[in-house]
Amino acid sequence: MSVHVVAFAAAVFMTIASAVATGVAAQSITAAAPDQEAQYFDDELDDLDEPRRAYRVQSPAEPNRHDRVQNPAELTAEEAAAIYNDLADDLAATYALSGDPVTAGYRDWQRFNAAPYKSMTHGRRYVNNYANEIAARYGRYEAAGRLPVGSVVAKDSFVVTDDGATGPGPLFVMEKMAESFNYVTGDWRYSMISATGELLGRTNGQGADRVEFCISCHLAVEDQDHLFFVPEEARLAPGP
């Protein structure tokens, strides 16, 4: 057999072998695809079985958030307290225009911060943390545990810019509702009342989409009953 014939036969063999290998690889890829797809849908079903997890997964990469104060002032505790004392009555009166019963008496509740503090998660506004008597354990902070039905936490707010301008901010409210009210929120109802006294949004109610970002944010502390607490440098001593 000539050298040319041998070379030709070898080339044919390599071509056939390559085609067979390619076909096998293609079959392997095709066979793997349904398994990968099945795993994908299994993962999706897992999320549906865990609504809180699914809520986080479905949240956009850049979730809605509170409008930010572009040039917030840096205040001492004394300065923040003095400004709040001037604004507090007007804040409460304006929130009351919404008709929400929380607005009528929240300032008579226990306040858990020594002075207003700037909250980055509330648009860099200065805020205060109030809680009603049912929510007294809120004052234990991270040791509070799960608060009972009827607990209400209210956070009023105001704006101070670096040029000295001041103004009202929204009232943020969390109310612990009966079991099964909303699994994703841990049965908390979020409400936001504007600086002009309008109910902007409420979980399972009017404008619910406007408080969805509250849910997303508080899911980060699901293990402490969805509650954030006053920063350590601004909080009062823990309660009993």
Side-chain angles (χ1 to χ4, degrees), residues 27-37:
Q27 289 177 352
S28 297
I29 293 171
T30 303
D35 291 340
Q36 293 168 355
E37 186 175 47

Side-chain angles (χ1 to χ4, degrees), residues 50-60 63-66 121-122 172-175 177 181-192 201-228:
E50 292 292 340
R52 291 174 185 155
R53 177 181 162 198
Y55 194 96
R56 288 195 294 268
V57 170
Q58 293 167 9
S59 296
N64 293 328
R65 57 191 176 194
H66 299 296
T121 56
H122 292 82
F172 309 97
V173 181
M174 293 177 65
E175 301 174 72
M177 310 300 284
F181 169 76
N182 189 308
Y183 173 74
V184 174
T185 69
D187 296 324
W188 286 100
R189 182 173 74 176
Y190 296 88
S191 300
M192 182 166 58
R202 172 166 286 162
T203 306
N204 290 9
Q206 174 184 330
D209 59 317
R210 295 182 177 180
V211 293
E212 284 186 352
F213 62 96
C214 302
I215 300 172
S216 298
C217 185
H218 283 260
L219 276 171
V221 286
E222 179 184 345
D223 60 343
Q224 54 190 41
D225 199 19
H226 300 249
L227 292 168
F228 287 102

Side-chain angles (χ1 to χ4, degrees), residues 14-173:
M14 292 299 295
T15 301
I16 294 172
S18 176
V20 170
T22 301
V24 170
Q27 289 177 352
S28 297
I29 293 171
T30 303
D35 291 340
Q36 293 168 355
E37 186 175 47
Q39 182 61 50
Y40 172 82
F41 284 110
D42 283 346
D43 290 344
E44 291 297 291
L45 289 173
D46 286 344
D47 285 341
L48 293 177
D49 289 337
E50 292 292 340
R52 291 174 185 155
R53 177 181 162 198
Y55 194 96
R56 288 195 294 268
V57 170
Q58 293 167 9
S59 296
E62 288 293 335
N64 293 328
R65 57 191 176 194
H66 299 296
D67 293 336
R68 290 182 175 179
V69 178
Q70 295 303 311
N71 53 337
E74 296 294 337
L75 304 177
T76 65
E78 292 75 15
E79 290 170 336
I83 292 172
Y84 180 64
N85 288 340
D86 287 340
L87 293 175
D89 288 343
D90 288 339
L91 287 175
T94 302
Y95 298 147
L97 296 175
S98 68
D100 190 301
V102 169
T103 64
Y106 78 90
R107 287 184 58 219
D108 295 327
W109 300 346
Q110 174 68 52
R111 191 177 78 177
F112 293 94
N113 51 295
Y117 63 94
K118 186 166 64 176
S119 173
M120 301 304 290
T121 56
H122 292 82
R124 301 192 286 192
R125 294 171 174 84
Y126 282 84
V127 301
N128 298 280
N129 293 48
Y130 291 90
N132 68 357
E133 188 173 354
I134 298 174
R137 288 209 315 269
Y138 181 84
R140 299 179 188 176
Y141 308 120
E142 288 78 8
R146 185 173 175 82
L147 297 188
V149 172
S151 295
V152 183
V153 179
K155 185 173 293 188
D156 60 5
S157 69
F158 61 95
V159 174
V160 185
T161 61
D162 59 9
D163 59 2
T166 63
L171 176 69
F172 309 97
V173 181

